[in-house]
Amino acid sequence: MDFKVIIYGSGEYRQMVELRHRILRAPINITATPEELEEDQKHILIGAFSPEDGHIVGCCFLLHISESIVRLRQMAIDTPYQGKGLGAEIIEYAESIASDLNYKWMYLHARKTAVDFYLKQGYAIEGDYFEEVGIPHIEMRKNIEF
């Protein structure tokens, strides 16, 4: 896979938006608003691209919270690539970028169905389950100082 930071508004960005919609939003019947998508320009947008055809197969973005904390959001892996280690590779790439930017902690809101995946990546559960976009989530955190 080819991992890279995506430029907001680019063709790669449009592929990212479509993947996030298809994997994360369509199954729960929600659509990103133009205002939500406009916020993407403030984030570090990360994509994994197939070396064969250059299409996006996985993505996430990083949201600045404080000088030491960054939040991982909108992690999506295209269906044919799920369960094959790509998610772990994207996390590793995102953590490396965040660490290079001097962040110390990465946190996220994990869907209940993804908790075991994030536990395997070294994330720890914090707090109790809560509802977000109509489904159960839990906050998870990891120290990313390398």
Side-chain angles (χ1 to χ4, degrees):
M1 283 310 135
D2 297 326
F3 298 92
K4 59 181 147 181
V5 173
I6 297 171
I7 305 298
Y8 176 80
S10 67
E12 292 171 338
Y13 172 73
R14 287 187 292 281
Q15 287 184 53
M16 178 189 205
V17 170
E18 189 280 327
L19 179 65
R20 286 168 24 196
H21 175 75
R22 189 166 31 86
I23 298 298
L24 300 174
R25 294 178 181 271
I28 56 174
N29 296 314
I30 61 173
T31 303
T33 66
E35 295 79 17
E36 288 172 314
L37 294 176
E38 189 174 315
E39 287 293 310
D40 283 353
Q41 63 189 311
K42 298 177 184 176
H43 310 314
I44 300 169
L45 308 168
I46 296 171
F49 296 84
S50 166
E52 289 82 32
D53 62 14
H55 282 91
I56 197 164
V57 296
C59 65
C60 68
F61 68 75
L62 301 177
L63 168 63
H64 171 85
I65 300 299
S66 72
E67 294 304 311
S68 63
I69 301 171
V70 66
R71 181 175 170 195
L72 179 91
R73 296 202 61 222
Q74 296 284 301
M75 176 82 165
I77 306 297
D78 203 358
T79 307
Y81 295 87
Q82 292 177 9
K84 297 180 179 175
L86 180 58
E89 291 181 70
I90 291 176
I91 294 271
E92 184 178 335
Y93 184 78
E95 289 172 355
S96 177
I97 288 172
S99 180
D100 288 350
L101 294 171
N102 296 315
Y103 288 105
K104 310 290 185 239
W105 293 92
M106 187 174 291
Y107 96 99
L108 54 93
H109 293 173
R111 291 180 180 197
K112 190 173 185 178
T113 56
V115 169
D116 288 341
F117 165 78
Y118 289 111
L119 288 170
K120 289 177 187 172
Q121 308 316 310
Y123 287 78
I125 293 172
E126 295 203 351
D128 297 317
Y129 281 97
F130 56 92
E131 191 171 296
E132 188 172 75
V133 295
I135 55 177
H137 284 72
I138 198 159
E139 187 172 305
M140 300 184 81
R141 180 180 297 245
K142 180 179 179 180
N143 184 314
I144 58 167
E145 290 181 280
F146 297 118

